[in-house]
Amino acid sequence: MFLDDEIAESRTRQNEARWGMYLALAALAACIVMIIGLMTQAAAQTASAQPQQMAGYVRPNDMGTGALLFPSKEPGYFVEAPRLATDVQIDVNGPIMRTRVTQRFQNPSKGWVEGTYVFPLPDDSAVDTLKMQIGDRFIEGQIKPRQAAKEIYEQAKAEGKKAALLEQQRPNLFTNQVANIGPGETVVVQIEYQSGVRQSNDAFTFRFPMVVAPRYNPQPIVQTVDLDSRSGYAVSDPVPDREKIEPPVLDPRENAKVNPVTLTINLKAGFPIGEVTSAYHEIETTTLDQLTRRITLKSGRVPADRDFELNWKAVEGKSPYAGLFRETVGGKTYLLSFVTPPVTATGADKQVRREVVFVIDNSGSMAGPSMEQAKESLALAISRLKPEDRFNVIRFDDTMTVHFPDLVEATPDKREDAIAFVRGLTADGGTEMLPALEAALRTQGPVAAGALRQVVFLTDGAIGNEGQLFQEIQNNRGDARVFTVGIGSAPNSHFMTKAAEYGRGTFTLIGSESQVAARMGELFTKLESPAMTDISASFEGGATGDITPNPMPDLYRGEPVVLTAELDGTAPEGKLRIVGKAGDQPWRVEMDIAKAATGEGIAKLWARRKIDDIEASASAIADPATLDKQIETVALAHHLVSRVTSLVAVDATPSRPAGENLTETDVPLNLPAGWDFGKVFDEKPDAPDPNATGTVDEREASVESQTKLAMLTADRMLAAPTARAAGLIAEANNQVNLPQTATEADKQILIGLMLLAFALVAGSTFVFWRGQIAALVTSGVRRHGR
């Protein structure tokens, strides 16, 4: 029995050792798994915190609200786009306007950001003021040569100082960069500019553009060249600054509209005001007196997705036909004059035989209402042709079709054939405008004796290679005249205006189908009437000065002669004389300088138009540096932004802490109203999304509700610039493929805890079992000993 007891006790000790080893291994495994889990979690938190805190990066799952996210340089992380709200105040005083644009940039992210906003202004705007608000302080921007301004801005950005840089990319397209916007912070930037009121047929109007339409930029041309028997490549890029004019654009099918705008116009016409209308927005008009109105948006704010246009007329019989204003600045006198030739002097009864080449844009940017407006306008124009006229039709996208082999007589059957061709057009593809313009100017044969060649261009002008088009018109216009018809909610007015100016024609803007008949009717009157030509201006009685524009453009019925001038001295005497011819009939008007009314901002308008004159003379100046220097001299003297000068504002106190990264991001733009996103960006029709929830109407309603919430957010931004605006701006799930950012850390920690709990339970059970065995063995030994 002793031997059996010893054997039993030995086995018990072996079992104890074995179980002890198992328990130790289990505990060790539990600890290892938990340590791995904790390290994984810490690493994930560190990786998450680093981009968020250091560079403002986020993961989609980190977002507590909807937000627009852009891919960042860190894989799996994104940058939350800055938010923008804009307040516009326009003061109209007779023929002159002063506009103040207040842009509020809000950084909703947890990091420091630099925001870049691409925005339009009128093509004749003289931008002269940039202010940046830091708390209660306003920092005034300074005009500098473009490269110097850029260097000042970049240095301030690197030093952590708040800075703003305003640059001109086109006369109607600007960029505003704002550096070192802190987490949750709002920076306010104000821009001011001078511009002029447009007049035609007793109607006065201005257009405030609100959105930059996506532009088609032709790809660079690569040419093989031979240099010293070695083959090389020379690249000619028609849009060398393409990266500066291609901001991100939201897909309206999935995103709320952003960048809300409030608008207030103080209208002091200088004459008794009659009807005041806005073609594209609902407005509220308050009458302050017979000469003054205050206009606001009826809804309070609108998303920036279409241009704003205001029109007004004088009370019947009170419309002015001439005006002369002056301003004294820096010891010089500046004049602004306008005069509308009387209708009887235009020779309107004299009909001319016309040769009309119609060019219609049917590229993807024209899809939707724009295409319908263009087709209706062109069909109306063709139907107005007379049998003795000749015509042709050219359509273009990234291909081109010339409908008739040559110009054909406008017989009823040819007109019907052309109208059927036009009505069958659909919008798709790119905007290769240059080949179509070349065909219109070069391939239609010589102008017949006694005929007038006219090229009518219907387009939204959504291109980035305007310079190529201008050069083609200047070099190959010949005896033809180019008329432009701007189509859509956000046409490129710079292209339309300058193309018509270089083509000695005129331009017409059509923003809705309801305007087609009236505005094409005005254009027909101009097309069918002879232009006033040989217009020139001079001074008599001792006054001398620099007059712009130079040369003076031709005019059409109902259009005024508008000019500005710089004169030496503060009290010049004499008269301003303007002469011209309507057909063979001469016309002249004289205005006494001493009787000019006082005006403000005329010097800025003269300088802006002087710069335009210098730009137009580029072909006559062989050295580009000489051209740029002339522009720079005028711009610096009058504190104006131009192609070669910029405004820069810098806060003296650094605000971004050392070591905090700065993330660069663009402010997204809305697609112009009426545009088709898929057509513009060359998307194929999508199959129904099996994962999409809700009906199409429900999804559209969701986007609409997001837009309303964005507008409410804008109210808070506009009312309290320093308060953090809360709410939904836009959903961006369609912008990026969302990455898998989860880790196994939580699972590993849970497994470790379960193994550790098992080890503890097993250990407690083993201790209890070992105690019971020991007690039994002791009891058996005692009984055996008895």
Side-chain angles (χ1 to χ4, degrees):
M1 294 298 293
F2 281 110
L3 181 58
D4 293 339
D5 289 340
E6 289 178 358
I7 292 173
E9 187 172 356
S10 176
R11 288 177 177 174
T12 298
R13 290 194 184 100
Q14 290 176 357
N15 289 334
E16 289 175 356
R18 187 180 297 111
W19 274 98
M21 182 181 66
Y22 292 159
L23 291 173
L25 290 174
L28 179 61
C31 292
I32 291 173
V33 172
M34 288 182 65
I35 290 172
I36 292 173
L38 290 171
M39 290 177 65
T40 303
Q41 186 181 60
Q45 289 175 345
T46 300
S48 175
Q50 179 75 10
Q52 289 188 39
Q53 295 174 6
M54 298 293 288
Y57 297 160
V58 296
R59 297 176 300 180
N61 293 337
D62 297 329
M63 303 304 298
T65 61
L68 179 65
L69 305 181
F70 291 134
S72 75
K73 298 177 182 178
E74 295 289 334
Y77 291 92
F78 301 83
V79 179
E80 190 172 358
R83 299 171 184 174
L84 178 78
T86 303
D87 179 55
V88 181
Q89 179 177 316
I90 302 174
D91 296 320
V92 181
N93 289 287
I96 306 169
M97 299 193 306
R98 182 71 177 177
T99 302
R100 175 184 296 168
V101 180
T102 303
Q103 299 170 344
R104 289 176 168 86
F105 295 86
Q106 189 203 33
N107 173 17
S109 74
K110 298 179 181 179
W112 292 79
V113 302
E114 174 194 22
T116 299
Y117 178 45
V118 181
F119 63 100
L121 290 178
D123 54 277
D124 66 339
S125 56
V127 182
D128 60 1
T129 300
L130 171 68
K131 296 178 181 178
M132 182 172 60
Q133 184 180 4
I134 308 297
D136 296 330
R137 296 179 295 122
F138 273 94
I139 299 169
E140 190 87 18
Q142 299 298 315
I143 194 73
K144 300 286 184 182
R146 184 167 183 144
Q147 184 58 36
K150 184 69 172 177
E151 291 172 358
I152 293 171
Y153 173 80
E154 291 295 337
Q155 181 177 350
K157 181 174 72 172
E159 294 173 353
K161 298 175 182 178
K162 284 185 173 55
L165 177 66
L166 181 65
E167 294 181 308
Q168 175 186 305
Q169 310 303 336
R170 300 287 189 279
N172 68 332
L173 182 60
F174 294 76
T175 55
N176 194 4
Q177 291 176 266
V178 183
N180 293 311
I181 310 175
E185 190 175 34
T186 297
V187 172
V188 181
V189 177
Q190 280 190 349
I191 299 165
E192 296 184 25
Y193 65 87
Q194 208 79 16
S195 59
V197 171
R198 298 188 185 277
Q199 179 188 355
S200 181
N201 294 318
D202 296 329
F204 297 81
T205 184
F206 73 80
R207 196 178 185 99
F208 178 76
M210 290 190 181
V211 64
V212 176
R215 299 192 177 192
Y216 179 84
N217 297 314
Q219 292 303 308
I221 300 170
V222 180
Q223 298 175 314
T224 301
V225 297
D226 188 24
L227 299 174
D228 298 329
S229 301
R230 293 173 299 176
S231 180
Y233 292 94
V235 178
S236 175
D237 193 344
V239 194
D241 60 347
R242 63 183 67 233
E243 73 283 352
K244 291 184 177 294
I245 62 173
E246 293 181 334
V249 179
L250 297 181
D251 186 342
R253 299 169 297 188
E254 302 292 342
N255 297 283
K257 293 179 180 179
V258 296
N259 305 342
V261 178
T262 65
L263 192 66
T264 302
I265 301 106
N266 298 310
L267 174 59
K268 296 180 181 179
F271 50 79
I273 302 173
E275 183 182 29
V276 179
T277 60
S278 177
Y280 317 125
H281 295 84
E282 293 185 344
I283 59 173
E284 290 185 349
T285 303
T286 302
T287 300
L288 302 181
D289 57 50
Q290 192 179 23
L291 309 181
T292 310
R293 301 286 188 275
R294 176 169 294 159
I295 298 97
T296 58
L297 295 169
K298 190 172 184 179
S299 61
R301 81 210 68 78
V302 294
D305 67 348
R306 70 190 71 199
D307 292 353
F308 175 86
E309 182 181 271
L310 190 73
N311 303 278
W312 64 96
K313 292 185 176 181
V315 171
E316 184 70 26
K318 298 293 184 178
S319 182
Y321 71 90
L324 184 63
F325 304 85
R326 74 175 175 183
E327 178 186 34
T328 301
V329 177
K332 294 187 176 182
T333 297
Y334 294 87
L335 297 180
L336 169 64
S337 171
F338 74 89
V339 57
T340 304
V343 172
T344 54
T346 62
D349 295 335
K350 182 180 178 181
Q351 299 296 328
V352 294
R353 186 158 54 93
R354 297 187 296 140
E355 297 179 345
V356 188
V357 182
F358 297 104
V359 183
I360 183 169
D361 179 353
N362 69 306
S363 63
S365 65
M366 295 285 288
S370 294
M371 193 71 246
E372 297 307 313
Q373 294 163 25
K375 291 196 294 186
E376 185 179 348
S377 299
L378 182 47
L380 196 57
I382 294 172
S383 68
R384 288 278 296 253
L385 293 172
K386 297 178 175 59
E388 60 269 22
D389 295 333
R390 296 199 301 162
F391 79 107
N392 206 341
V393 178
I394 300 173
R395 68 104 216 141
F396 72 92
D397 43 38
D398 48 19
T399 62
M400 181 185 67
T401 302
V402 180
H403 186 53
F404 298 115
D406 299 295
L407 289 169
V408 297
E409 293 183 351
T411 57
D413 60 324
K414 294 297 185 183
R415 294 200 303 267
E416 290 177 7
D417 178 74
I419 291 174
F421 169 71
V422 170
R423 295 200 184 281
L425 294 177
T426 59
D428 207 350
T431 313
E432 291 289 350
M433 191 178 293
L434 184 59
L437 184 60
E438 290 174 343
L441 296 178
R442 301 187 193 184
T443 67
Q444 299 303 301
V447 180
L452 179 63
R453 175 73 57 84
Q454 298 170 333
V455 176
V456 180
F457 219 114
L458 296 95
T459 177
D460 55 19
I463 54 169
N465 61 323
E466 295 100 326
Q468 284 188 312
L469 279 298
F470 298 154
Q471 186 174 7
E472 173 64 22
I473 294 172
Q474 288 177 303
N475 294 343
N476 298 296
R477 180 181 65 85
D479 294 327
R481 294 178 181 271
V482 178
F483 296 77
T484 54
V485 181
I487 301 292
S489 60
N492 180 357
S493 59
H494 166 58
F495 168 72
M496 249 73 70
T497 302
K498 282 299 177 184
E501 181 179 316
Y502 292 141
R504 303 188 77 81
T506 187
F507 76 98
T508 303
L509 293 176
I510 297 176
S512 65
E513 289 190 58
S514 62
Q515 295 180 317
V516 170
R519 301 214 167 164
M520 287 302 291
E522 294 176 7
L523 178 59
F524 296 148
T525 300
K526 296 171 182 178
L527 290 172
E528 295 166 1
S529 303
M532 176 169 285
T533 60
D534 300 333
I535 300 172
S536 64
S538 60
F539 293 103
E540 293 185 349
T544 59
D546 189 340
I547 298 174
T548 65
N550 183 23
M552 303 286 278
D554 294 343
L555 295 178
Y556 294 84
R557 185 174 183 178
E559 294 183 336
V561 178
V562 181
L563 61 84
T564 59
E566 179 191 61
L567 290 77
D568 292 328
T570 58
E573 296 181 356
K575 293 183 179 181
L576 172 65
R577 171 182 288 184
I578 304 172
V579 299
K581 288 199 300 186
D584 297 328
Q585 183 178 358
W587 172 81
R588 184 179 73 177
V589 66
E590 293 181 351
M591 289 182 277
D592 191 341
I593 297 174
K595 294 182 179 180
T598 301
E600 294 183 1
I602 299 172
K604 304 286 187 183
L605 293 181
W606 175 86
R608 174 71 262 174
R609 294 178 183 181
K610 182 64 177 178
I611 291 173
D612 287 344
D613 286 350
I614 297 172
E615 293 278 20
S617 66
S619 59
I621 300 177
D623 181 16
T626 301
L627 179 74
D628 291 351
K629 190 62 179 178
Q630 290 181 9
I631 296 171
E632 181 182 297
T633 300
V634 176
L636 292 178
H638 292 270
H639 208 260
L640 294 184
V641 176
S642 69
R643 179 174 56 80
V644 298
T645 55
S646 303
L647 278 167
V648 60
V650 176
D651 188 14
T653 305
S655 58
R656 175 167 54 89
E660 291 282 357
N661 290 341
L662 182 68
T663 302
E664 299 177 3
T665 180
D666 295 330
V667 176
L669 304 184
N670 296 312
L671 191 71
W675 283 41
D676 186 318
F677 188 89
K679 294 281 189 179
V680 173
F681 293 98
D682 198 24
E683 288 185 357
K684 302 302 180 184
D686 293 330
D689 184 358
N691 299 317
T693 58
T695 65
V696 172
D697 291 340
E698 288 172 342
R699 291 195 293 273
E700 291 178 350
S702 175
V703 172
E704 181 65 24
S705 67
Q706 294 171 25
T707 301
K708 291 180 180 178
L709 188 51
M711 297 301 105
L712 293 175
T713 299
D715 278 345
R716 297 178 60 185
M717 290 180 68
L718 292 168
T722 58
R724 177 163 182 159
L728 187 63
I729 293 296
E731 294 292 348
N733 291 338
N734 65 305
Q735 298 287 314
V736 292
N737 294 321
L738 303 184
Q740 174 61 267
T741 56
T743 70
E744 300 292 323
D746 294 341
K747 184 186 296 185
Q748 291 165 345
I749 293 172
L750 181 60
I751 293 172
L753 289 173
M754 291 175 64
L755 287 172
L756 187 58
F758 171 76
L760 291 173
V761 171
S764 299
T765 303
F766 174 72
V767 170
F768 175 77
W769 172 79
R770 185 177 182 279
Q772 293 297 317
I773 294 296
L776 290 173
V777 170
T778 301
S779 175
V781 169
R782 288 175 178 172
R783 285 197 301 272
H784 180 74
R786 288 194 184 102

